[in-house]
Amino acid sequence: MIDQKTTVLIPSFKKSVAFQDDLVKNLYGVSLVQRSIDKAIQLGIEILNIHLLTDSEEIALIGSRNGVQLYLNQSLNWSEDYNSGPLGKYLSQATNSSEYTLILSPYAPLVETETYTKALSALVESDKDILKPYKHVNRRIFDNNGQNKLQGLFDSQKETHKIESKAFIFLKSKVFLENTKTNHSVFIWPVQNDLFEIESYQDWWVCEKLLQRKRIVFRIIGNNKIGTGHIYRALSLAHEITDHEILFVCDTENSEVVNKLAGYEYWLSCYKYDEIVESIITLKPDLVINDILSTSKNDVYPLKKMGIKVVNFEDIGAGTKYADMVINELYEEPIFEGDHILWGSQYFFIRDEFTNARAHRFKKQLDTILLTFGGTDQNDLTSKIFYSIKDFCSKYGIQVHIVTGSGYANFNKLKTEVDGMDNVKLTKATGVISSIMEKAQIAIVSNGRTVYELSHMNIPSIVISQHKREDTHNFACEENGFLYQGVYKNGHTEKLVLDSLHKLFFDTDFRKKLFAKTTFHNFSANKKRVLAKIIALIE
């Protein structure tokens, strides 16, 4: 809302259109002229202070039906010598009771009301006569200097230029009482995102697409303790959403890792944990996707109360009751009832790096295994399992690829111990684990999303749960090509793993049967199905 008494002028001239009938043609159901009037009303401007200036009876009719003030003159021109004719007299009378005037272009329908209010505040603070918006554009201005030299082809440097915008102008109303040749002080004001102006039919098409888009907020977690799986899943979905605006949020406890992965590609903001839900509401999203493990009522209900659609991933908390959709792909059987809750591996989708990864064909010789327990590996299974199998692997010439999470505390100690071992490779927090999977015939892993990725790659594996929550993930079973060892028990699990490895190495027929069972699953198409269900909530 604009507090100061302000007059709005909407110049709408048919003789200077971008293309035929653009001012009265419906843009996503509403004409440019109507959108301009609506915008002025949204700013809190009284109808008596909204003036439509036009040379067209058709445009004037739109203004008349809205009750705004009209100046119709078929010979009207919008030029700097306006005050030499009847238009000047009209503008002086129209603005004489207001302190400021906003000239609002119909060709910039994407400008937010907040931008106008900030612009007026900036003009008042500057004490200048006129405020003109501009945007920064990174471009190289072409000239012939050096263009005929080879190095000119490889010059990646860009120049920053200020581009004036005609989207709107704020000025002190007294300007209309003065001679047009009078020098006025001008304040140029930067605006970045919403100064899109329609200058062609192609611009019209782009603008219509932008008006149709919804705002989707991903609330994600990711830190050294829980790893980065939630971030990668959110990014994988976000990469597929091209028709809507994507924002990422997290709480301050997760900012370091989340910012590292998401901040470079998408808008990201971090909030205090007890303020994050209210902060999300201020972003005015149409949809919130929570990938934060189990939610509480306070994580979801305030959003629903504001009419915001909510989708939760991997959630068995109290917040599931209030969400529009919950996707629990790691749980094969429902833990509780709810028609809006989707259970099972048919809703699991692979991360982007696996899209073109080469799934395995069966190899009779077992010569490479993958060992990975992600996140912080709270039980240090990485070291314990490696120590239990290293002699066996060394004896039979098996290459061991160890991949740890970013929060694995014993990395340096393990690195010291494996340095010099020809059959061991140690990697920390790789973002391309699929390339390592392409080399391994089997894996030893914890019972999370990695199990599904291994299934997608046709890699039979030995699976250990770090804790009771993982034990509820029952996709890892012999029916799907996995040897499940249960929740980790110190001393006992190590023996089970070594026995299982021994069987997989020596019993080729058994390993081949497990391999065949992994080929029944392909998760490539699941993302589109899941995404379609999510987007259907807002379209």
Side-chain angles (χ1 to χ4, degrees), residues 445-458:
V445 298
S446 52
N447 193 12
R449 281 178 289 273
T450 306
V451 171
Y452 297 83
E453 294 167 350
L454 290 164
S455 176
H456 180 79
M457 296 292 288
N458 300 342

Side-chain angles (χ1 to χ4, degrees), residues 218-285:
F218 283 87
R219 179 185 173 187
I220 53 176
I221 56 174
N223 52 50
N224 289 338
K225 181 177 180 180
I226 65 168
T228 57
H230 301 277
I231 301 170
Y232 281 124
R233 175 164 51 199
L235 287 173
S236 184
L237 273 181
H239 292 339
E240 298 294 324
I241 301 173
T242 57
D243 290 337
H244 302 290
E245 183 183 16
I246 303 295
L247 307 179
F248 276 82
V249 301
C250 66
D251 59 68
T252 50
E253 294 178 2
N254 292 278
S255 61
E256 182 178 352
V257 176
V258 170
N259 188 57
K260 178 181 178 182
L261 292 174
Y264 296 112
E265 299 182 60
Y266 298 98
W267 183 95
L268 170 70
S269 189
C270 298
Y271 305 101
K272 293 180 179 178
Y273 180 80
D274 57 353
E275 298 175 358
I276 190 167
V277 174
E278 286 301 318
S279 298
I280 290 173
I281 290 173
T282 63
L283 295 174
K284 299 179 180 179

Side-chain angles (χ1 to χ4, degrees), residues 108-308:
L110 299 181
V111 180
E112 300 282 351
T113 54
E114 184 181 12
T115 300
Y116 294 116
T117 56
K118 287 182 177 179
L120 179 56
S121 297
L123 177 61
V124 172
E125 186 175 346
S126 72
D127 200 30
K128 303 283 188 179
D129 296 319
I130 301 171
L131 178 145
K132 289 186 175 182
Y134 73 91
K135 56 185 176 182
H136 284 113
V137 177
N138 292 323
R139 292 287 188 275
R140 291 294 300 273
I141 302 299
F142 184 84
D143 60 48
N144 288 324
N145 295 329
Q147 296 299 328
N148 60 337
K149 297 179 180 179
L150 184 61
Q151 58 263 37
L153 301 175
F154 302 97
D155 188 356
S156 60
Q157 293 183 348
K158 293 182 179 179
E159 300 168 348
T160 300
H161 301 276
K162 294 179 180 178
I163 305 297
E164 181 182 0
S165 172
K166 300 291 187 181
F168 66 90
I169 296 174
F170 261 114
L171 64 158
K172 291 181 177 178
S173 296
K174 68 176 185 179
V175 170
F176 290 111
L177 300 175
E178 299 171 351
N179 192 295
T180 55
K181 296 182 179 179
T182 302
N183 289 327
H184 298 100
S185 57
V186 177
F187 177 55
I188 58 172
W189 189 66
V191 181
Q192 285 304 315
N193 295 326
D194 53 359
L195 288 186
F196 185 88
E197 298 175 62
I198 297 174
E199 298 178 348
S200 67
Y201 193 80
Q202 185 179 32
D203 292 339
W204 177 282
W205 183 86
V206 172
C207 190
E208 190 160 47
K209 292 288 286 185
L210 292 173
L211 284 168
Q212 292 179 52
R213 69 179 180 171
K214 307 293 185 179
R215 175 170 288 181
I216 301 174
V217 171
F218 283 87
R219 179 185 173 187
I220 53 176
I221 56 174
N223 52 50
N224 289 338
K225 181 177 180 180
I226 65 168
T228 57
H230 301 277
I231 301 170
Y232 281 124
R233 175 164 51 199
L235 287 173
S236 184
L237 273 181
H239 292 339
E240 298 294 324
I241 301 173
T242 57
D243 290 337
H244 302 290
E245 183 183 16
I246 303 295
L247 307 179
F248 276 82
V249 301
C250 66
D251 59 68
T252 50
E253 294 178 2
N254 292 278
S255 61
E256 182 178 352
V257 176
V258 170
N259 188 57
K260 178 181 178 182
L261 292 174
Y264 296 112
E265 299 182 60
Y266 298 98
W267 183 95
L268 170 70
S269 189
C270 298
Y271 305 101
K272 293 180 179 178
Y273 180 80
D274 57 353
E275 298 175 358
I276 190 167
V277 174
E278 286 301 318
S279 298
I280 290 173
I281 290 173
T282 63
L283 295 174
K284 299 179 180 179
D286 299 283
L287 169 67
V288 173
I289 299 177
N290 288 312
D291 203 337
I292 58 174
L293 291 174
S294 293
T295 62
S296 67
K297 177 180 178 180
N298 291 335
D299 290 320
V300 181
Y301 181 71
L303 302 174
K304 291 298 302 171
K305 192 176 180 181
M306 298 300 296
I308 301 167

Side-chain angles (χ1 to χ4, degrees), residues 312-331:
N312 298 344
F313 275 94
E314 205 173 332
D315 185 7
I316 54 174
T320 58
K321 177 181 177 180
Y322 306 95
D324 294 278
M325 185 185 300
V326 179
I327 302 171
N328 283 333
E329 77 276 32
L330 299 187
Y331 302 89

Side-chain angles (χ1 to χ4, degrees), residues 473-491:
H473 303 164
N474 49 15
F475 179 79
C477 61
E478 193 166 329
E479 182 181 347
N480 291 327
F482 299 97
L483 298 180
Y484 183 52
Q485 315 291 287
V487 178
Y488 174 74
K489 296 179 182 178
N490 188 29

Side-chain angles (χ1 to χ4, degrees), residues 83-112:
N83 68 349
S84 62
L87 177 60
K89 182 178 180 181
Y90 179 85
L91 293 179
S92 298
Q93 293 176 344
T95 61
N96 65 4
S97 62
S98 62
E99 187 175 359
Y100 293 94
T101 296
L102 167 63
I103 302 175
L104 196 159
S105 169
Y107 290 101
L110 299 181
V111 180
E112 300 282 351

